[in-house]
Amino acid sequence: MSALLLVARATTLLEAREETLRSQQVVALSQASRALLRSIVATRTERGTALRLLADENPISEADNTAFQSDHRARIDGETALWALVGTLDMPAVQVTLEPLRRAQEALAALWPQVEAAAAVPKTQRNATIRQNVEAVSAALLQALAATNKAVDTVLPRQDAAVERYLEIKRAAWATRIAFGISWVRIETAVAAGTGWSQAEIVAAAEERARLFAAWSEVVDAIGADLPDTIRLAFQEARARNFEGEAAARRVVLTEALSAGRPPGIGVKALRAGNIADGAALVDLANAALDAMIQRAEALAAATQRSLLLALLLLAGSLVLAIGGTGIVFRRVIRPIQTMIQAMRALAAGDATVAIPAQNRRDEIGAIAAAVQVFKDNLIRTRALEAEADAARLAAEAQRRSATDALAQGFEQAVSGIVAQVSGSAAELQTTAWQMTTTAQQTASQSNAVAAAAEEASAGVRTVAAAVEELGTSVQEIGRQVQGSSELARIAVGEADQTATLVAALNGAAARVGAVIELIAGIAAQTNLLALNATIEAARAGEAGRGFAVVATEVKALAAQTGQATEEIGRQIGEIRSVTGQAVDAIGTITGRIGEISAVAAAIAAAVEQQGAATQEIVRNITQANAGTQEVTGNITGVANAADQTGRAADHVLTAATALSRQSEQLAAEVDRFLASVRAA
């Protein structure tokens, strides 16, 4: 009982200790979750300020620089507090996310001097990629912070309903803040650009608003009257600043204006200032839920520490009670029982003279002593009875031995003949089974050889069938090509006839050109004659006809050139007519040859068609041969399978015969052993 009590108290102590550790873990994880949320908010704020300053045309002002440095210090302080908390969390799921987080923070720290230098100069002097780098590195850091935050929320124990509820409020509030930021970024971008939304942007904005209201509905579902006042007040503030009154009306007006392409009627700075304040209300709600979760976790940790202290006190009291009870039990129970055990061991060893202690006690030990005394008396009486039984046993042993000898002799005579017959039959059966096995193996081997040969023949037939099918296809293709050639020859004949007609027309045109050339030659001769007459008349006129004589000389020279050109053209025309005549003759020859080719192509097409029909008949016959070969192969395979089954059956028979022979030998040996045992008995 003391041991059970100690075990129970130790179990309670361990459970209290585990509960204490779990509560402390909830506190640490809750604080880490709050630090992560603050670091995320600080990073997002710093990123928004940096991107706005880098997009500005002018260098950073003193006021903006003060706010910028304040945002930067807030992020650095948040990172310091975060590492002080998450660095102590010995949880693999959290630790695996810390190295990417550290690398992302180091990348942003390395980039920050460039950001400060770029913000201090006009936009025209800034590196064009610095703003993209800030956006990419900040996005990587936010993603790493989100991964760590998710890991912390995942490993946070859920034993307490209040803690789990506060965590759900925090998650829903932060999801609402993210959806809120995405929705307002689209609105701020359009307001800054001074343009309305396209149809795709209207659809995207509607989807973003749907996600925003869906996230907020989760917050509304988690809020109840039993929550702390800090959470309910933060909820009312977030609802009033984002989903009721002026905020909701402003969102509707901006959405309608941008959807219709109208000016929104508000500046981007005023819009951004209002959005920052509205989003801060959602962050305050998430922080309020985290604060309540930390307070609840600390209260649970204090309660578990009190339970642990109470368990320690109860364990100490149980230990004192166990030590006192153990002393009493040892003096009043264990020591007398040990004495009784020694007496019982002496009785078990056959010592009937040992004294039985504690027979005068009135408790359970005395009852045990009385029972042991009865055992002692029974031992004395048993020894007397054993002496009488030994004498009777010797007489009965002699009678049993003579009867056993007679029984063994009769059994040996009856069984020996049966065993001999079984052994002989088993030997004959073994010989027959061996012969069957040999025959079946030969049959299977020959069947397999025949099947292999049939398979090779079938393969050869299939190969021939495939080749003949390809030949038939080739013959069909040749026939098609020959028909095409015949058609082309027919067309060529027609075109040659047309060409001959055209050449004849050309020859006629050349003849007509010759007539025109003769006419021109006559005109040139008359012109020459007229020029000569003009020259003579000019000479007669004397000084008055000198100018006319010059013209007459030029006309005469021109007439002479015209006559020469006319002779050259006549000679060329004659050559053209000669060549044209030869072309007409050649075209006639070509026309005849093409006609002969067309006749030959028609004959080839007829022959190819006959070859195609013969090839199809060959394919049909080879297909039938292939089917027959496959049927032979299938039958031979069936014979081989049957022979193989016969061989296996013969093997079974041989095995059974061998086993029967061996069992008959074992039976004979067992009979001999049985008879020997019976005779020995």
Side-chain angles (χ1 to χ4, degrees), residues 131-412:
R131 192 171 187 272
Q132 298 176 356
N133 294 337
V134 170
E135 190 169 2
V137 174
S138 300
L141 178 56
L142 288 173
Q143 185 177 3
L145 287 169
T148 304
N149 187 39
K150 181 179 179 181
V152 169
D153 291 346
T154 302
V155 300
L156 200 149
R158 304 292 200 280
Q159 282 77 8
D160 186 72
V163 172
E164 184 174 4
R165 187 176 181 185
Y166 298 152
L167 181 60
E168 291 301 323
I169 293 174
K170 174 255 180 181
R171 285 179 175 176
W174 182 242
T176 305
R177 172 63 183 84
I178 293 175
F180 171 85
I182 294 173
S183 177
W184 278 106
V185 163
R186 186 176 296 278
I187 294 175
E188 290 179 3
T189 303
V191 171
T195 59
W197 284 337
S198 63
Q199 188 62 36
E201 289 176 331
I202 293 174
V203 174
E207 293 176 352
E208 291 165 357
R209 288 197 301 275
R211 286 192 290 268
L212 173 62
F213 285 105
W216 178 248
S217 65
E218 294 182 3
V219 177
V220 174
D221 293 340
I223 298 298
D226 56 339
L227 292 173
D229 293 338
T230 55
I231 296 180
R232 289 190 291 105
L233 292 175
F235 169 73
Q236 293 172 2
E237 179 68 16
R239 181 175 59 187
R241 293 195 66 94
N242 293 278
F243 300 97
E244 293 180 352
E246 189 271 337
R250 184 173 73 251
R251 182 185 297 111
V252 172
V253 170
L254 288 172
T255 301
E256 290 178 351
L258 294 174
S259 299
R262 298 194 306 271
I266 187 173
V268 66
K269 290 186 177 181
L271 179 62
R272 182 178 292 115
N275 292 341
I276 292 174
D278 295 343
L282 294 171
V283 176
D284 292 340
L285 175 59
N287 285 325
L290 283 172
D291 293 339
M293 185 170 66
I294 292 173
Q295 292 177 1
R296 176 64 178 175
E298 290 175 347
L300 291 175
T304 54
Q305 288 178 354
R306 290 193 296 271
S307 299
L308 179 61
L309 180 60
L310 179 61
L312 283 173
L313 294 175
L314 291 175
L315 180 61
S318 300
L319 185 60
V320 172
L321 180 61
I323 292 174
T326 301
I328 294 172
V329 170
F330 182 79
R331 185 173 60 86
R332 294 286 300 169
V333 178
I334 295 178
R335 185 177 297 172
I337 288 178
Q338 288 178 347
T339 305
M340 189 67 64
I341 289 173
Q342 292 176 357
M344 293 174 68
R345 286 176 177 173
L347 285 175
D351 186 4
T353 61
V354 65
I356 306 301
Q359 295 188 34
N360 55 349
R361 293 182 59 164
R362 302 297 182 184
D363 55 5
E364 289 80 2
I365 303 298
I368 293 174
V372 173
Q373 182 63 40
V374 172
F375 291 155
K376 178 180 177 181
D377 297 338
N378 289 335
L379 178 61
I380 296 172
R381 287 195 296 272
T382 299
R383 287 183 175 177
L385 292 173
E386 285 178 353
E388 295 176 358
D390 287 340
R393 181 177 59 80
L394 293 174
E397 183 70 21
Q399 294 178 358
R400 184 184 64 79
R401 186 176 296 277
S402 60
T404 300
D405 291 338
L407 181 62
Q409 185 176 2
F411 180 75
E412 181 179 11

Side-chain angles (χ1 to χ4, degrees), residues 425-460:
S425 299
E428 294 177 358
L429 180 60
Q430 185 175 5
T431 302
T432 303
W434 181 81
Q435 293 176 353
M436 289 176 62
T437 300
T438 302
T439 303
Q441 288 178 350
Q442 293 177 354
T443 302
S445 176
Q446 294 173 358
S447 299
N448 289 331
V450 173
E455 182 64 25
E456 290 179 358
S458 177

Side-chain angles (χ1 to χ4, degrees), residues 35-36 38-40 42-43 46 72-86 101-102 104-106 108-109 141 145:
L36 281 165
R38 291 179 177 175
S39 185
I40 291 172
T43 303
E46 183 187 50
H72 182 64
R73 285 193 298 273
R75 182 179 66 82
I76 297 301
D77 294 341
E79 289 180 357
T80 303
L82 173 63
W83 283 106
L85 291 171
V86 299
L101 176 60
R102 181 179 290 106
Q105 290 175 346
E106 291 174 353
L108 185 58
L141 178 56
L145 287 169

